[in-house]
Structure formats: C-alpha cells, structure tokens
C-alpha cells in the first residue's frame, strides 16, 4: 500500500474497512446533528460512507508515525475537474499540534506533483475559524461563500426539517484557492 510520510505522520489510502475510523470523524465533527441518536447514526453513517466511495474522491487517512494512532483524513475531491478540492478532518485530540498543516502541505504537494496540478480549491465551513486561519497561513486566497450542498446533505435536510437550521448553519462554507506547491511551514509558524 502506497504511503506518504512526513516527519511525524504517515498518510495512506483509505480502504473498504475504514468505516469505523471515518465514523469517529463524522460523529465528532457534528455532535449536535447526531445528538447521540443511535438509530439516526445507523441510518446516516452508511450514507456518508458512500460519499467517500465516489470515484472523483481520493481519500487518505492520517496516522502518527510513532504509535500509529489515527488522527484524521485528508482527501482530494473532484479529481476529474481542472481545479480539485482539498478536504481535511482531524480528530479534536490531534488539533493544535501542527499536524493539519503538515498533512495538508505534504498531501497537496504530493498530489500536485503527481497529477500536474498547480492549484486547488479549499471549502471550509464558515464556523471553522481554526481551519480558515491555517489555510490563510498556507497562502489560500478567499474566493466566495457557497451555499450549495451535496445531495446527501439536501436529503438530510428534507428528512430532518426540525434540524434544518442547525444543519444549514453548521455546513455553510467559504471557498478558497491555494497555489501549489505550498511552501513548507514550520509547526511553530501556525
């Protein structure tokens, strides 16, 4: 299995048996959406998993090199388009340690070099000021606010009208452009 390594991390392709790891991210990222509702979780987690199997998404998982602990996911979405989109999700325990910028820089530069891509988009939830700060430090330029959502999210809003306000607030995004390669940034700079 192909593996990308940094000083502190290794990043490997997601496999079919990684639903449990991805579920950790989704449950932590949107706790108000799931409200510890096991029935709802059993319904929506497989739907979310299907979105990771899309052939236009290249998903990798992030682990610590020392100990192999799972930290999160980094992916390139819309890889069939001229300007693909980068996504990253880190578990809260691994945030604020410089792992995000380290994974983003390494993965994006690897992707750009291998696919001959000179720029990527980044879509960040409006409420995620930490990620906005990280990507701005990496050189991302603001483009626009975007209110379009995936088909899975639209279905979710239709099925749960009582949670529509929370869903819409939590999932509104801003779009940025990031030129490749990203210059290396020391962990302390972020």
């Amino acid at each position: 299995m192909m593996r990308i390594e940094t000083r502190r991390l290794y990043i490997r392709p997601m496999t079919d048996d990684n639903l449990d790891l991805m579920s950790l991210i989704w449950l932590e990222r949107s706790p108000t959406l799931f409200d510890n509702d096991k029935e709802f979780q059993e319904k929506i987690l497989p739907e979310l998993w299907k979105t990771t199997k899309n052939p236009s998404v290249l998903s990798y998982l992030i682990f610590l090199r020392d100990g192999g602990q799972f930290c999160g996911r980094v992916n390139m979405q819309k890889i069939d388009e001229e300007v693909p989109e980068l996504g990253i999700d880190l578990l809260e325990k691994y945030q604020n340690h410089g792992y995000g910028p380290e994974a983003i820089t390494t993965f994006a530069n690897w992707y750009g070099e291998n696919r001959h891509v000179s720029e990527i988009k980044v879509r960040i939830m409006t409420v995620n000021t930490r990620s906005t700060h990280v990507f701005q430090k990496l050189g991302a330029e603001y483009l626009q606010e975007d209110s379009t959502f995936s088909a899975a999210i639209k279905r979710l809003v239709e099925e749960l009208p009582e949670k529509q306000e929370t869903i819409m607030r939590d999932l509104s995004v801003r779009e940025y452009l990031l030129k490749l390669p990203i210059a290396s940034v020391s962990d302390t700079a972020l």
Side-chain angles (χ1 to χ4, degrees):
M1 178 182 297
M2 209 287 290
R3 188 166 139 156
I4 305 166
E5 294 193 16
T6 72
R7 183 173 57 85
R8 302 179 300 162
L9 305 172
Y10 73 87
I11 305 168
R12 67 148 174 91
M14 185 177 68
T15 64
D16 287 337
D17 13 327
N18 293 142
L19 171 62
D20 57 334
L21 297 177
M22 288 303 301
S23 294
L24 293 172
I25 291 170
W26 295 320
L27 292 169
E28 184 179 278
R29 182 173 55 182
S30 301
T32 57
L33 180 59
F34 292 104
D35 291 330
N36 293 318
D37 182 342
K38 293 291 183 196
E39 184 178 323
F40 177 64
Q41 289 175 22
E42 289 173 8
K43 180 178 181 177
I44 197 65
L45 290 175
E47 278 292 314
L48 291 170
W49 179 246
K50 285 180 194 174
T51 67
T52 68
K53 308 314 271 169
N54 185 322
S56 70
V57 177
L58 184 64
S59 292
Y60 278 60
L61 301 181
I62 305 165
F63 299 86
L64 294 182
R65 282 182 70 176
D66 290 339
Q69 294 89 347
F70 173 68
C71 300
R73 170 207 36 189
V74 62
N75 66 19
M76 200 62 72
Q77 304 160 23
K78 301 182 181 183
I79 61 174
D80 53 341
E81 295 184 10
E82 186 177 334
V83 181
E85 294 178 8
L86 179 106
I88 185 165
D89 293 293
L90 285 180
L91 293 172
E92 190 173 325
K93 177 180 179 180
Y94 300 102
Q95 296 175 8
N96 298 317
H97 298 287
Y99 298 132
E102 190 173 332
I104 291 163
T105 301
T106 301
F107 183 75
N109 288 345
W110 168 83
Y111 184 86
E113 184 178 315
N114 285 288
R115 300 284 178 110
H116 308 288
V117 172
S118 61
E119 58 188 16
I120 56 175
K121 287 183 185 175
V122 181
R123 293 166 41 90
I124 304 170
M125 291 188 297
T126 304
V127 297
N128 192 345
T129 57
R130 181 180 302 133
S131 286
T132 299
H133 176 74
V134 167
F135 278 100
Q136 287 173 336
K137 287 278 193 176
L138 293 174
E141 299 172 19
Y142 175 76
L143 295 176
Q144 65 187 354
E145 188 147 335
D146 189 1
S147 60
T148 59
F149 299 102
S150 71
I153 299 303
K154 288 178 182 175
R155 274 196 313 274
L156 184 60
V157 167
E158 289 170 5
E159 291 176 16
L160 299 166
E162 71 280 4
K163 293 187 179 187
Q164 180 175 354
E165 184 179 329
T166 300
I167 294 168
M168 300 304 277
R169 181 192 68 237
D170 289 351
L171 299 178
S172 176
V173 297
R174 291 188 177 145
E175 196 170 278
Y176 293 82
L177 189 66
L178 189 56
K179 303 282 186 188
L180 299 179
I182 302 168
S184 292
V185 178
S186 71
D187 297 339
T188 56
L190 299 167

